[in-house]
Amino acid sequence: MLELQLRGDYIELDKLLKAVGLVESGGRARALIAAGEVRVDGQVELRKTAKIRAGQVVDFDAQQVSVLPAQGGG
């Protein structure tokens, strides 16, 4: 399982996929999300800029990304 530590309260879903290296570009991330290829907490997420917060898990391409809170809280 991959982990991503937030810098603020949330990260947008398309940016998360790019930040952890699961896609090569934001455009590719948005296309995959629109095609129903990405799940958040087990549910298909079609909103490209859905706000992903600490404690959520994103599934894509047989990979899971656990979202951790920003350091110092959050």
Side-chain angles (χ1 to χ4, degrees):
M1 178 179 290
L2 300 170
E3 293 182 341
L4 176 76
Q5 187 161 31
L6 293 175
R7 293 185 188 164
D9 291 336
Y10 65 88
I11 186 170
E12 293 172 346
L13 183 55
D14 59 340
K15 291 180 174 68
L16 178 145
L17 294 176
K18 188 165 185 259
V20 297
L22 292 178
V23 296
E24 64 279 0
S25 70
R28 177 82 174 132
R30 289 186 289 278
L32 291 165
I33 295 163
E37 301 279 328
V38 182
R39 292 178 173 264
V40 176
D41 295 334
Q43 301 293 315
V44 172
E45 179 57 77
L46 299 173
R47 296 172 299 157
K48 300 167 193 74
T49 58
K51 294 178 180 177
I52 307 302
R53 300 180 188 278
Q56 291 190 289
V57 176
V58 176
D59 291 288
F60 169 69
D61 194 29
Q63 292 277 356
Q64 283 192 323
V65 181
S66 176
V67 182
L68 305 175
Q71 285 202 320

